[in-house]
Amino acid sequence: MMHYIVVTGGVISGLGKGTITSGLSYLLKNSGFRVTNIKIDPYINYDAGTMNPYQHGEVFVLNDGGEVDLDLGNYERFLDTALTSANNITTGKIYKEVIEKERRGDYLGSTVQIIPHITNEIKARIRKAADGYDIALIEVGGTVGDIESMPFLEALRQMRSDKGDSMIFGHVTLVPESGSEQKTKPTQHSVKELRAIGIQPDILFCRSSSPLGIDARKKISLFTDVAEKGIISVYDVSNVYFVPMVLEKQGALEYTRELFRFDDHELNYTLKEFTRNIEKPTEEVTVGLIGKYVDMQDAYISHKEAFSHVTGNTGIKVNIKWIDSDDLIKSTEQLDDLDGILIPGGFGYRGVEGKIAAAKYAREKRIPYLGICLGFQASVIELSRNLLKLKDANSTEFEPGTQDPVIDILPEQKGIKDLGGTMRLGAKTVLVKKGTIAYEINGSERISERHRHRYEVNPEYIDRLEEKGAIFSGTDDEKIRMEILELNDRDNYIATQYHAEFQSRPLNPSKVHLYFIKKSLEYRKEKRGSIYAGSTE
């Protein structure tokens, strides 16, 4: 029998369904169960690849090249696993498959309808993604009552009635506070909405700023028909990696076992030392993240998490200063107090000149620097302009007619018109040269990292750049595409075409992020020492 846990949301979006789902997944996996996660996104887009980060945050990339919702990044980090595109189900994928089947005549002349054709396709995809596991946790995007999610909820309702499946429903709701009183009415109405479509929740994950009081718990239980031990208080914590501990203390794991009639499994809580370092760091640094979506910090969530992973493993707290790259075009004053500079990936010309200015500042001031994807390309443009004296140097993405296209489109990309799923995507082999900083960081001549880009370093400029001190210390396995850049006169400057943040894990942080933060701490101590040395006090 396959076991499913469905997590829906109510009242408002953004309550943390993904984090709660991930936290429960962690507890179940570390209790000895084979666990996977499935994210249902009710939007009509085929995948997240063409979405603006301001609407959905970061586009997360899987090993197989799938461009998916950022919640799959949470799942991978908490489960310490690699998921596939099959773990992300969208309305676009479902309808595309059903229409293609109809065109082939697979439905034998039937009138194709939401029920049973769409719902059957949804159920088939869920079961396929869950195959081979003990438990599949399914997060349904949006909130109950959204018209977009209705076919998915109907399919899940049907699955609960199907023989051979065991399914429990968890529902995430908001319990706002007015003064000292915790208001239960929004939760009551949200559950009423869920029951109206035929789903009675088994567990309620009640989000509040402080732990749920006894009176509020009893009242919610009375009006929702959910047992009191199924009312799980998920109160605010300072870091997402405390959520599994909160869920476990609130009895979520024990009650889930009871509902599934599982035998007791001993929990191996592997994050104790990790969370202790996050709670009580011994050192700290401040790094600037130079981006154009800094008002929507979820656009860079994998970098935030990678820094959390570094803190959990080293005790070095990372304070992120969010800097809009456009602001740096006029002045780089915001960079003066930093211990390190990170330029992450991105697309489009807006903000690029500010990123190039930040790369120049880091190089000239010898501040620890990490460039990722577009940050790597910004570094190449900056070096070309200021060391090779090619004032027009640019990427053909930003300036198609540039006289010096130091960054140019991939040959295989020329002529491609569709934007979705057409880049160099997913896990690719990177060859690392011995005797370089990149080799010191990775400890291997061959690594696998995830990519998401369409443009490359133009081979015509590589020799000239290396004559000026650049070192391309990593290439693709064909030795055609440049993957890693460093400088020959320092050990605190590294840039990668790949996205190391996508494979960072709590107990195995991204190697380049770890190295970058250690160098930032060295720089901070040197800077502090020089300040004290010049003091008359």
Side-chain angles (χ1 to χ4, degrees):
M1 180 179 288
M2 186 63 210
H3 298 85
Y4 298 94
I5 300 173
V6 179
V7 180
T8 59
V11 187
I12 60 172
S13 60
L15 288 179
K17 289 195 306 295
T19 303
I20 291 168
T21 303
S22 299
L24 187 55
S25 300
Y26 169 85
L27 294 174
L28 290 164
K29 180 180 179 181
N30 285 274
S31 296
F33 298 102
R34 294 171 300 166
V35 179
T36 192
N37 287 97
I38 300 168
K39 175 66 187 295
I40 289 175
D41 283 307
Y43 46 68
I44 297 176
N45 303 63
Y46 186 83
D47 58 30
T50 58
M51 290 192 201
N52 188 313
Y54 278 123
Q55 294 188 16
H56 273 267
E58 173 185 86
V59 176
F60 191 77
V61 179
L62 304 174
N63 278 342
D64 65 6
E67 297 173 282
V68 296
D69 184 86
L70 60 83
D71 281 314
L72 275 82
N74 280 325
Y75 304 156
E76 285 203 342
R77 290 185 280 267
F78 275 91
L79 285 177
D80 190 18
T81 191
L83 301 175
T84 72
S85 298
N87 294 85
N88 190 204
I89 300 173
T90 67
T91 297
K93 288 181 180 179
I94 296 296
Y95 275 77
K96 184 174 185 290
E97 181 65 24
V98 169
I99 290 170
E100 287 176 352
K101 286 181 177 180
E102 184 273 330
R103 292 289 82 191
R104 290 196 304 263
D106 291 5
Y107 298 122
L108 302 176
S110 296
T111 300
V112 180
Q113 298 176 291
I114 302 295
I115 302 171
H117 301 95
I118 295 296
T119 51
N120 283 349
E121 182 65 29
I122 293 168
K123 290 189 288 185
R125 287 195 174 230
I126 290 173
R127 289 180 175 131
K128 183 178 180 181
D131 187 42
Y133 294 90
D134 299 319
I135 307 169
L137 289 92
I138 305 165
E139 180 192 348
V140 183
T143 57
V144 171
D146 294 345
I147 192 169
E148 295 94 341
S149 61
M150 296 301 282
F152 294 100
L153 294 173
E154 170 59 22
L156 291 163
R157 186 198 65 78
Q158 291 176 19
M159 285 184 69
R160 190 175 202 176
S161 302
D162 291 344
K163 294 179 179 178
D165 290 327
S166 176
M167 179 175 285
I168 62 177
F169 279 88
H171 190 55
V172 181
T173 71
L174 176 67
V175 180
E177 298 183 16
S178 177
S180 60
E181 185 181 2
Q182 294 177 320
K183 298 292 187 178
T184 65
K185 193 65 73 175
T187 295
Q188 294 177 44
H189 281 294
S190 185
V191 172
K192 183 179 178 182
E193 188 84 28
L194 192 61
R195 293 165 85 175
I197 58 176
I199 297 173
Q200 166 63 40
D202 304 286
I203 303 176
L204 291 179
F205 298 100
C206 298
R207 289 285 291 111
S208 56
S209 56
S210 56
L212 205 61
I214 295 174
D215 290 342
R217 188 186 299 268
K218 288 181 178 294
K219 192 172 183 181
I220 290 171
S221 175
L222 176 65
F223 283 97
T224 62
D225 286 335
V226 175
E228 275 190 50
K229 53 185 167 182
I231 311 296
I232 308 300
S233 174
V234 188
Y235 47 87
D236 291 350
V237 291
S238 59
N239 188 285
V240 294
Y241 295 103
F242 293 112
V243 170
M245 187 186 305
V246 170
L247 293 174
E248 199 270 332
K249 286 183 176 179
Q250 290 289 317
L253 177 61
E254 182 181 351
Y255 192 55
T256 299
R257 288 174 179 160
E258 182 179 323
L259 289 172
F260 279 143
R261 299 179 183 175
F262 286 150
D263 294 333
D264 284 344
H265 285 63
E266 184 177 351
L267 172 63
N268 178 24
Y269 196 83
T270 59
L271 295 176
K272 285 182 181 178
E273 184 64 27
F274 178 89
T275 51
R276 191 176 296 122
N277 281 335
I278 288 176
E279 196 168 21
K280 296 181 179 179
T282 55
E283 304 277 5
E284 68 177 287
V285 295
T286 298
V287 301
L289 188 150
I290 319 299
K292 65 178 183 177
Y293 304 116
V294 292
D295 291 335
M296 173 60 165
Q297 295 179 7
D298 274 358
Y300 306 104
I301 191 170
S302 287
H303 287 291
K304 289 171 63 179
E305 296 307 310
F307 288 142
S308 282
H309 304 162
V310 171
T311 302
N313 283 271
T314 65
I316 306 171
K317 180 182 178 181
V318 181
N319 302 306
I320 301 176
K321 184 176 180 180
W322 301 90
I323 300 174
D324 190 319
S325 54
D326 274 338
D327 293 343
L328 300 178
I329 296 173
K330 294 181 179 179
S331 170
T332 57
E333 186 178 342
Q334 292 186 70
L335 307 178
D336 290 346
D337 61 347
L338 300 176
D339 304 314
I341 292 173
L342 163 66
I343 301 180
F347 294 90
Y349 186 62
R350 185 177 71 81
V352 168
E353 290 300 326
K355 293 182 179 186
I356 294 170
K360 180 175 185 286
Y361 184 96
R363 179 178 61 82
E364 292 181 342
K365 300 289 186 180
R366 305 183 75 86
I367 296 173
Y369 175 79
L370 175 60
I372 298 289
C373 197
L374 181 56
F376 168 87
Q377 296 177 5
S379 299
V380 172
I381 295 170
E382 187 276 315
L383 294 173
S384 301
R385 289 181 182 179
N386 297 297
L387 296 185
L388 299 184
K389 306 303 180 183
L390 303 174
K391 298 302 181 184
D392 188 48
N394 214 325
S395 167
T396 53
E397 178 183 5
F398 313 131
E399 184 55 60
T402 177
Q403 294 180 15
D404 289 297
V406 294
I407 304 294
D408 203 0
I409 197 164
L410 295 169
E412 63 266 29
Q413 293 288 324
K414 291 180 178 179
I416 291 177
K417 295 181 180 179
D418 289 343
L419 294 180
T422 57
M423 290 181 280
R424 187 168 183 245
L425 289 165
K428 310 290 182 185
T429 298
V430 177
L431 303 181
V432 182
K433 296 177 183 177
K434 279 191 170 182
T436 62
I437 296 170
Y439 185 81
E440 177 189 340
I441 291 171
N442 292 286
S444 174
E445 293 181 78
R446 195 178 187 89
I447 60 176
S448 177
E449 294 285 357
R450 297 179 186 180
H451 294 68
R452 186 177 185 247
H453 66 107
R454 187 172 272 115
Y455 292 78
E456 296 281 359
V457 178
N458 189 332
E460 294 180 10
Y461 294 86
I462 291 172
D463 289 343
R464 294 164 66 182
L465 285 164
E466 291 192 326
E467 287 173 4
K468 291 294 185 179
I471 299 173
F472 288 102
S473 53
T475 68
D476 71 340
D477 52 2
E478 297 176 279
K479 299 185 178 180
I480 296 173
R481 301 175 180 87
M482 300 301 103
E483 291 276 6
I484 310 174
L485 169 68
E486 52 193 76
L487 299 178
N488 65 2
D489 65 342
R490 71 199 66 184
D491 64 357
N492 65 1
Y493 185 108
I494 191 87
T496 68
Q497 182 63 77
Y498 57 80
H499 289 265
E501 71 274 18
F502 288 152
Q503 294 193 101
S504 187
R505 303 287 183 263
L507 302 182
N508 185 22
S510 155
K511 291 181 173 61
V512 293
H513 287 75
L514 178 61
Y515 184 85
F516 169 63
I517 295 304
K518 286 182 175 179
K519 288 299 173 183
S520 296
L521 181 61
E522 285 182 17
Y523 178 83
R524 180 183 179 88
K525 289 182 175 180
E526 290 172 4
K527 181 174 64 175
R528 188 185 300 150
S530 64
I531 291 172
Y532 291 158
S535 174
T536 57
E537 294 181 7

